[in-house]
Amino acid sequence: MTTIWAEKIYTGGGFVASVGGVLEVEAPATGEVIAKVGLANPADLEAAVAAAQAAQREWAALPYTQRAAVMARASAILQENPERLTEWLVPESGSGAGKAAFEAGLVASEFAEGAALASQPYGQLLRSMKPRTSIGRYIPVGVVGVISPFNFPAILSARSVVPALALGNAVILKPDPRTPIAGGLILAEILAESGLPDGLLHVLPGGADVGAALVAHPAVPCISFTGSTAAGRKIGEAAAPLLKKVHLELGGNNALLVLPDADVDAAASAGAWGSFLHQGQICMTTGRHLVHRSLVEEYTAKLAASAERITVGDPTNPENALGPIIDAAQLAKVDGIVQESVAAGAKLEAGGTYDGLFYRPTVLSNVPHDAPAFAQEIFGPVAPITVYDTVDEAIDIINSSEYGLSVSVLTGNPYRAFELADRIQSGAVHINDQTVDDEAVAPFGGTKASGSGGHFGSSVNLDTFCDLQWVTMQADIERYPF
Ligand code: NAD
């Protein structure tokens, strides 16, 4: 386990001491301080932006092959050595071994797609009313500010950092202060080893104050934020008068719809994975199970049995499928939502207990639509079940949420579900899978309170991390009547 970032931030082309001081990183499973990194402050940000602006011009002017080569090398390093990330993801973010391996794989494929993106066509030859060449082409915005959360720290940073760099931008990354290593410093280390020139990537661990300063900085024209809807609203408000290009990937309360013709065994297994993976701390976590009345008893019993079987504990022991909730404040919020929902009429079928930060996978049935477990994003391992009678009623319930990130439909007739997808307000609809999924090539982004601005994924990234410029060119200067 390398710790070359001890008490350091990453800026200007290396790991250096911060003027902001030192940040202690705790393992949520044990409370132990596992590392100390630099804590950035606004003066660090000023220096980073100046260096980024200077380096970006040369980077964008390089042959695309050089940007692609950096990303390809980074992908190879991570494919060959996934432990470079997983050895931090497990203790730092409380990831189970399976989740950590999945996340390292996602980051490796993000780098591979970054390499491909660098060589893709970056514009269109347009038709024109005049005898001229008319082109719509994407040019890098300059410096991209990235703010990321704790839960999937590496991929949620990488899905912005990698395409932004591959397309010729420089990046200032502010990871969550609870996960600065997997969320940033390790990515910087791998990219430096892969030959990323100095000054293009800056990792500034810090809190909301550093994030707010990044959003406000006049030389950072594009902000890519992933986090809560509440913080996203503040960032949107701060960025609007500055007329920045802002991408907000926010919270979710994702429905899993079990149609009457679904295989109940498979549906309950998918539902358990969707609600409990990484302790439910995923934006796409299944937060509402809508089950047809004819299946609800059997589905509830199977989901509760699955919840009872799952092992929870320190994730450094690979026997434990689930680890801790990230901190005490989040655990108190999860438990409060469960207790209030039971008081509002929900029935506790499994879980509802905790030991330290380890919350048992919890199943609630008969959950009223206005109970907090059904109406709010929980961000904990809780599966609230409610019953419906008609498909129209189910679609209305799905769309009644303020969120629109991911919806799943489980059925014996996928084509019927495909037709239903037309009526579902959601950035993603997964037919015959649960709600948690991501691929570097897929367009990812929420609707309604789950997000606004651009999407991530392959060529969609051009729109997100570049400005679209219309260029025309003709042989002679056009003649006008005056
Ligand atoms: P959070 O919003 O509290 O923090 C996320 C990041 O934003 C952190 O780096 C934090 O320091 C920073 N931040 C907070 N307030 C800020 C402000 N005013 N200005 C600038 N930066 C600020 O998020 P959290 O609660 O720790 O993370 C969980 C949330 O993130 C959940 O709501 C989850 O659904 C959401 N999330 C969304 C996606 C997605 O792709 N849509 C992915 C993962 C997580």
Side-chain angles (χ1 to χ4, degrees):
M1 196 183 264
T2 54
T3 52
I4 57 170
W5 49 78
E7 308 201 357
K8 304 282 199 316
I9 60 174
Y10 183 85
T11 190
F15 291 96
V16 299
S18 158
V19 289
V22 171
L23 174 65
E24 290 190 338
V25 182
E26 272 184 24
T30 60
E32 186 198 343
V33 174
I34 50 171
K36 291 181 182 179
V37 306
L39 177 65
N41 78 359
D44 294 309
L45 177 65
E46 274 310 321
V49 174
Q53 275 186 302
Q56 188 267 331
R57 284 186 281 275
E58 276 182 46
W59 176 239
L62 285 177
Y64 72 87
T65 46
Q66 295 194 28
R67 289 189 293 278
V70 170
M71 297 305 159
R73 278 194 290 270
S75 182
I77 288 173
L78 206 46
Q79 278 177 46
E80 283 156 27
N81 310 281
E83 72 285 355
R84 296 278 298 269
L85 256 180
T86 57
E87 68 189 0
W88 286 104
L89 282 168
V90 171
E92 191 188 25
S93 79
S95 306
K99 179 267 188 188
F102 171 63
E103 186 169 355
L106 282 176
V107 176
S109 63
E110 193 67 48
F111 280 126
E113 281 305 311
L117 184 61
S119 62
Q120 287 304 298
Y122 64 108
Q124 276 186 316
L125 191 57
L126 306 171
R127 298 204 182 276
S128 178
M129 303 289 283
K130 297 181 181 177
R132 63 182 177 180
T133 300
S134 179
I135 297 169
R137 64 170 189 171
Y138 286 102
I139 53 175
V141 294
V143 181
V144 175
V146 177
I147 302 172
S148 58
F150 72 88
N151 60 325
F152 265 72
I155 185 59
L156 297 176
S157 294
R159 72 179 181 180
S160 296
V161 169
V162 173
L165 288 171
L167 290 168
N169 298 287
V171 174
I172 315 282
L173 166 63
K174 192 214 79 68
D176 189 286
R178 291 164 292 189
T179 49
I181 300 169
L185 295 168
I186 193 81
L187 300 176
E189 189 185 66
I190 290 171
L191 279 163
E193 279 172 38
S194 306
L196 185 74
D198 290 353
L200 289 166
L201 174 63
H202 306 263
V203 182
L204 305 183
D209 55 333
V210 183
L214 181 58
V215 172
H217 201 292
V220 181
C222 174
I223 298 293
S224 180
F225 170 79
T226 302
S228 62
T229 296
R233 286 201 165 100
K234 285 188 196 153
I235 288 169
E237 278 171 29
L242 304 170
L243 303 175
K244 296 198 177 199
K245 194 175 171 79
V246 179
H247 311 300
L248 302 173
E249 292 294 343
L250 309 174
N253 189 3
N254 311 290
L256 176 138
L257 174 61
V258 184
L259 291 176
D261 59 0
D263 172 331
V264 185
D265 267 336
S269 164
W273 185 264
S275 277
F276 303 141
L277 178 68
H278 196 40
Q279 301 80 264
Q281 300 171 114
I282 309 177
C283 54
M284 297 167 280
T285 288
T286 304
R288 299 178 291 158
H289 299 240
L290 305 182
V291 186
H292 190 262
R293 190 173 298 279
S294 60
L295 306 179
V296 74
E297 209 174 305
E298 195 186 349
Y299 181 89
T300 304
K302 287 183 190 296
L303 190 59
S306 174
E308 302 283 7
R309 277 196 304 271
I310 293 172
T311 48
V312 183
D314 187 336
T316 55
N317 175 355
E319 303 275 296
N320 291 320
L322 301 187
I325 300 292
I326 191 71
D327 59 27
Q330 182 56 24
L331 182 123
K333 187 184 154 220
V334 172
D335 193 49
I337 288 176
V338 170
Q339 302 311 330
E340 268 181 61
S341 300
V342 170
K347 183 173 173 218
L348 189 62
E349 303 277 357
T353 58
Y354 59 93
D355 179 9
L357 292 182
F358 300 102
Y359 206 86
R360 282 296 314 166
T362 297
V363 177
L364 297 170
S365 65
N366 199 31
V367 183
H369 296 177
D370 58 354
F374 204 75
Q376 296 176 23
E377 179 182 47
I378 306 171
F379 232 55
V382 181
I385 301 172
T386 199
V387 68
Y388 72 89
D389 290 298
T390 68
V391 169
D392 286 345
E393 181 194 353
I395 299 285
D396 285 347
I397 298 170
I398 291 172
N399 290 341
S400 67
S401 170
E402 67 167 326
Y403 296 108
L405 190 58
S406 182
V407 167
S408 142
V409 185
L410 306 182
T411 176
N413 184 347
Y415 197 81
R416 169 105 176 86
F418 183 64
E419 287 171 350
L420 286 181
D422 289 351
R423 296 164 58 193
I424 293 174
Q425 298 162 355
S426 177
V429 176
H430 297 295
I431 297 164
N432 282 340
D433 205 346
Q434 44 72 48
T435 52
V436 180
D437 207 355
D438 191 14
E439 286 190 28
V441 294
F444 188 99
T447 59
K448 305 201 291 188
S450 291
S452 70
H455 281 52
F456 300 111
S458 290
S459 56
V460 179
N461 284 311
L462 281 157
D463 222 19
T464 303
F465 297 109
C466 295
D467 288 322
L468 185 53
Q469 183 183 58
W470 182 33
V471 181
T472 67
M473 183 171 47
Q474 58 196 58
D476 299 309
I477 296 176
E478 187 76 16
R479 300 300 163 103
Y480 290 95
F482 61 85

